[in-house]
Amino acid sequence: MPKTFYLTTPIYYVNDLPHIGHIYTTVVADTIARAKRLRGFDVRFLTGTDEHGQKIDRAAKQQGITPKELADRVVGRYPPLWKAFDITNDDFIRTTEPRHHAGVHAMIARLEARGDIYKGSYGGWYCAGCEAFFPETQLVEGACPDQGHPVEWLEEESYFFRLSAYQQPLLDHYREHPEFIRPATRYNEVVRFVEMGLKDLSISRASLSWGIPWPGDAGHVVYVWLDALTNYVSALGFGSSDQALYDRWWPADLHLVGKDILRFHAVYWPAFLMSAGLPLPKQVFGHGWWLRDDRKMSKSLGNVVRPDELLARFGPDPLRYFLLREMTFGQDASFSDEGFLARYNADLANGLGNTASRVLAMARRYFDGKTPHERCTDNALLEKSREVTARYLESMDVYEFQRALEAVWELLAAVDGYVNEKAPWSLAKAEGNASPSLHRVLHNCLESLRLVAVMVSPVMPGVAARLLAQLGVVAPSLDEGALAWGGLPLDAPLGGEGALFPRVDVEAYFAEAKVETNDRPDTQKITIPAETPAAPAAATAPAAPAPESAPPVAEQVGIEDFARVKLVVGTVKLAERVPKSNKLVRMEVDLGEPQLRQIVAGIGKRYQPEELVGRQIVVVSNLKPATLMGVESRGMVLAATLPDGAPVLLAPGSEVPDGSGVK
Ligand code: MSP
């Protein structure tokens, strides 16, 4: 019976389109799933969407559609996205599915049977962003302590869960299972949090209707975190008449989550499970955050990364590689197109790509397009590869992807050094193409490349398959046996040619890029269009249901909403292009304030900086600052948009004093 491994990603909120944060966790999960399969595990990999709660309800209202319509629109984006990233999930759960409702009701029945649910009333500060209550003492400057979101006072009747009763059992569990929370720093944070004391948890909402109805009380819906966390078992049929999947896969081996939602997974979830008398997951890993230019990404800052352009241009593998190589798993890291391109050229085009094409070109030339016919079992590369594969496996087992990849790249460097030292071209010249030494030398290089391909396969599955085909390995097996020296077939035809990673001219890339990812701030209220992008029909199994389409409804605003936007006339005093951008112009504008305002605008294709200086423009002066290509913009210029998308700046009909308001 093969060993089993059940791993999960968080289920993603549907108030927003998928972005780099969602992609990251899912790519990490996919890499782990593939690496476990390589190690002989039978793997189950679950992801999905979290569709209830106040956050979704509000986002839908803002767009004039129902929460279910919003959810359907956003969920429709996931199957093509996961297909584009080569994600091999076995299931996709939506919290609006009947199987999930059944699971949540079954969970509540167990908590109730244990006597851990009672009715009371709640008054507290609620953060809709985090979908959590916070005690007044924890608020920071009147906002939620986790994310700085606004909070609102909520007072209502509620069902409670006796979380306080689980303080000691949780602490005991952490002590007995130090591997339950990873990384270790986060383990300490959670233990400290629980040691400070746990209050009973409100687990229903009376003032909200968008949720799973509370069993037997139509006046309440289930609190969205109790609802969402239960997905990990409802997707296995918990609460249904068929428990086969549940029996086979639960408890989960790994819940992968971002650090912001660790507490829900490491405190609330195990407490619910203890109360329900169900086994606890074996590990919860809280990973770090991707920052943009060292700042937190958020819709309001307009700096959320959706790497569509990079994906379209490079395919999934370089991005997957970047995400795993750049971030020390568990810590924060900064995402930038420049950082991606630097790593692409250095590690992929130069490192892996060049070494592979150098060695393959020699085999093509000397052995008539075939692999060598001699094998060598005693050489420096074999030694190195043994050490590297051991380090690679050890690092992958503890999710140190960065270290694992560093080890692989050491083997690549060793191949390069070996080629230089053995100089196969001199051997060929001196001894001819049939030389056994020449065959052995190139065998060692090609065999090392085969090992590299197997090791990178969990991270870059497409590239690994191409490289293996180029090496003449047909129907490669990606199991542990494939990591033993000697798997390269002898005298076998090499597969198709072609650079794995064509080098990128970074300057030309930025000059040509149609969309500079940081050049297009999201609107604060992102509108999710009804139509989904053209996508391949086959989705990762099983596909999420297709979205229903409904025409977007233009939202109406009251005069008081309009009055919140401060429009001001100002004169451009300085204008220059933002380096590496063909669109962005940095301006310093006199808005009648003591200091000039720095504003960055995407108008450089239509306007030369010189023609802007001295012009009066209209500016949204109270927009939250955003960083565009590393330059902070403290306002937004108003422009009309021509049919081809070109901007035409707005200006007062005649000159007015700088700082004049516009309404
Ligand atoms: N719906 C909840 C999870 C419920 S799980 C039972 C949720 N959803 S989310 O869509 O807001 O976030 C999903 C995941 O994305 C979280 O793990 C979060 O940490 C992660 N990320 C969101 N932004 C991120 C980055 N900028 N970087 C890395 N991951 C981040 O929370």
Side-chain angles (χ1 to χ4, degrees):
M1 196 55 176
K3 307 162 276 184
T4 58
F5 195 89
Y6 176 36
L7 86 162
T8 66
T9 71
I11 47 171
Y12 303 114
Y13 283 133
V14 292
N15 63 317
D16 190 8
L17 294 175
H19 60 66
I20 194 75
H22 311 132
I23 293 168
Y24 176 64
T25 321
T26 315
V27 163
V28 170
D30 188 62
T31 299
I32 295 174
R34 289 173 184 269
K36 288 288 171 192
R37 290 186 201 116
L38 187 97
R39 296 284 251 163
F41 284 81
D42 202 355
V43 173
R44 188 165 185 89
F45 166 14
L46 173 70
T47 187
T49 41
D50 186 354
E51 306 183 15
H52 293 127
Q54 190 158 327
K55 200 181 171 93
I56 315 300
D57 193 48
R58 283 203 181 149
K61 282 201 176 101
Q62 277 166 3
Q63 297 188 34
I65 54 179
T66 67
K68 184 64 168 53
E69 277 167 342
L70 176 64
D72 288 344
R73 286 179 188 182
V74 174
V75 170
R77 302 297 177 105
Y78 278 101
L81 183 71
W82 293 158
K83 189 171 164 50
F85 273 97
D86 253 340
I87 302 297
T88 54
N89 58 308
D90 299 286
D91 196 358
F92 187 104
I93 183 142
R94 301 184 56 175
T95 55
T96 46
E97 289 176 68
R99 62 170 172 159
H100 177 68
H101 286 212
V104 170
H105 279 191
M107 180 65 76
I108 291 174
R110 281 177 171 255
L111 308 186
E112 229 158 16
R114 180 62 62 108
D116 280 337
I117 295 184
Y118 62 92
K119 205 172 191 179
S121 69
Y122 196 88
W125 293 101
Y126 195 73
C127 168
C130 301
E131 296 280 14
F133 279 106
F134 292 98
E136 177 126 16
T137 49
Q138 276 183 22
L139 300 185
V140 177
E141 292 174 6
C144 102
D146 284 356
Q147 307 277 337
H149 295 140
V151 290
E152 62 205 286
W153 182 256
L154 272 186
E155 214 170 302
E156 59 185 32
E157 185 189 66
S158 166
Y159 288 94
F160 282 84
F161 171 69
R162 272 185 227 287
L163 183 62
S164 56
Y166 290 90
Q167 180 179 1
Q168 199 49 47
L170 283 169
L171 288 170
D172 292 344
H173 186 78
Y174 303 149
R175 203 187 47 249
E176 286 156 22
H177 302 88
E179 73 296 341
F180 179 64
I181 301 162
R182 279 281 177 274
T185 46
R186 305 237 189 274
Y187 172 92
N188 297 334
E189 276 167 31
V190 171
V191 170
R192 269 198 305 277
F193 174 80
V194 175
E195 277 173 348
M196 274 161 33
L198 294 176
K199 291 215 169 71
D200 288 351
L201 186 70
S202 160
I203 50 165
S204 75
R205 294 289 311 276
S207 54
L208 188 70
S209 57
W210 179 234
I212 298 179
W214 188 267
D217 188 344
H220 289 248
V221 295
V222 179
Y223 171 47
V224 67
W225 271 103
L226 171 56
D227 166 344
L229 287 161
T230 304
N231 90 88
Y232 301 130
V233 289
S234 66
L236 300 176
F238 173 77
S240 78
S241 54
D242 183 358
Q243 298 285 300
L245 285 177
Y246 175 85
D247 292 340
R248 175 153 168 68
W249 297 100
W250 192 257
D253 292 272
L254 177 65
H255 289 318
L256 268 180
V257 301
K259 60 183 183 179
D260 52 317
I261 57 170
L262 180 63
R263 192 189 323 149
F264 299 97
H265 285 81
V267 181
Y268 299 173
W269 180 225
F272 294 148
L273 289 167
M274 282 175 181
S275 168
L278 301 175
L280 269 48
K282 294 183 195 146
Q283 190 168 83
V284 182
F285 198 113
H287 66 69
W289 272 50
W290 282 99
L291 309 174
R292 177 79 193 194
D293 304 311
D294 296 324
R295 292 177 67 175
K296 199 180 146 192
M297 285 181 209
S298 79
K299 273 199 285 173
S300 49
L301 286 178
N303 62 353
V304 175
V305 175
R306 297 179 217 278
D308 311 353
E309 178 84 353
L310 294 178
L311 177 66
R313 164 93 189 247
F314 297 95
D317 284 5
L319 260 168
R320 289 175 63 119
Y321 172 79
F322 178 77
L323 293 176
L324 285 150
R325 176 65 184 80
E326 188 76 4
M327 184 182 265
T328 304
F329 195 47
Q331 295 172 18
D332 290 348
S334 206
F335 191 100
S336 70
D337 292 14
E338 291 85 348
F340 168 81
L341 293 171
R343 234 180 224 299
Y344 175 89
N345 275 339
D347 299 4
L348 299 179
N350 278 356
L352 177 52
N354 267 358
T355 309
S357 68
R358 188 180 182 204
V359 175
L360 282 161
M362 286 190 276
R364 276 194 197 100
R365 191 167 337 124
Y366 303 137
F367 309 144
D368 214 12
K370 289 194 173 163
T371 59
H373 52 60
E374 288 262 351
R375 194 170 271 148
C376 173
T377 51
D378 177 19
N379 64 84
L381 282 183
L382 187 157
E383 288 300 307
K384 183 71 188 171
S385 77
R386 281 211 178 115
E387 187 257 309
V388 160
T389 44
R391 195 145 40 99
Y392 164 85
L393 288 175
E394 207 182 280
S395 307
M396 289 299 273
D397 278 351
V398 290
Y399 315 131
E400 290 188 11
F401 311 110
Q402 197 184 31
R403 257 191 78 218
L405 291 167
E406 269 166 17
V408 177
W409 260 251
E410 268 182 37
L411 182 56
L412 280 170
V415 171
D416 261 337
Y418 182 80
V419 169
N420 294 344
E421 185 199 319
K422 300 287 176 188
W425 46 91
S426 310
L427 271 175
K429 206 164 167 195
E431 302 177 13
N433 291 357
S435 152
S437 326
L438 179 64
H439 277 258
R440 281 199 294 270
V441 164
L442 285 182
H443 171 269
N444 296 338
C445 299
L446 293 166
E447 175 61 8
S448 300
L449 282 175
R450 188 189 65 79
L451 293 174
V452 165
V454 175
M455 287 189 279
V456 299
S457 65
V459 179
M460 295 192 283
V463 164
R466 265 188 78 198
L467 178 54
L468 285 166
Q470 293 189 345
L471 291 165
V473 184
V474 276
S477 66
L478 290 177
D479 55 23
E480 245 175 329
L483 285 176
W485 184 266
L488 188 80
L490 299 184
D491 225 1
L494 296 168
E497 294 186 41
L500 293 174
F501 304 103
R503 210 186 146 71
V504 172
D505 177 336
V506 175
E507 245 176 58
Y509 176 84
F510 280 114
E512 284 163 20
K514 284 199 292 301
V515 182
E516 292 152 32
T517 32
N518 206 11
D519 189 353
R520 213 181 31 169
D522 291 351
T523 48
Q524 274 184 267
K525 289 177 197 163
I526 189 159
T527 301
I528 318 282
E531 69 277 6
T532 49
T540 34
E548 295 157 15
S549 43
V553 178
E555 191 196 346
Q556 295 196 325
V557 297
I559 187 77
E560 66 289 351
D561 289 322
F562 177 69
R564 292 176 60 209
V565 180
K566 202 162 171 250
L567 300 173
V568 175
V569 176
T571 303
V572 179
K573 297 292 182 190
L574 181 151
E576 62 185 17
R577 290 191 179 275
V578 170
K580 290 193 190 150
S581 170
N582 56 354
K583 221 165 153 190
L584 293 183
V585 175
R586 183 185 84 83
M587 291 175 282
E588 291 188 13
V589 185
D590 187 348
L591 294 180
E593 298 169 332
Q595 283 182 345
L596 298 180
R597 264 299 179 110
Q598 173 164 293
I599 294 176
V600 180
I603 53 175
K605 282 194 179 154
R606 185 175 168 93
Y607 294 95
Q608 296 304 324
E610 309 75 77
E611 60 176 308
L612 293 168
V613 176
R615 257 178 114 117
Q616 283 206 307
I617 55 175
V618 184
V619 168
V620 181
S621 67
N622 60 343
L623 196 69
K624 284 189 188 155
T627 303
L628 307 178
M629 299 274 294
V631 185
E632 186 179 61
S633 181
R634 298 184 49 243
M636 187 177 86
V637 171
L638 292 194
T641 309
L642 293 176
D644 67 354
V648 178
L649 287 170
L650 296 191
S654 55
E655 199 174 327
V656 298
D658 287 331
S660 302
V662 176
K663 47 185 184 182

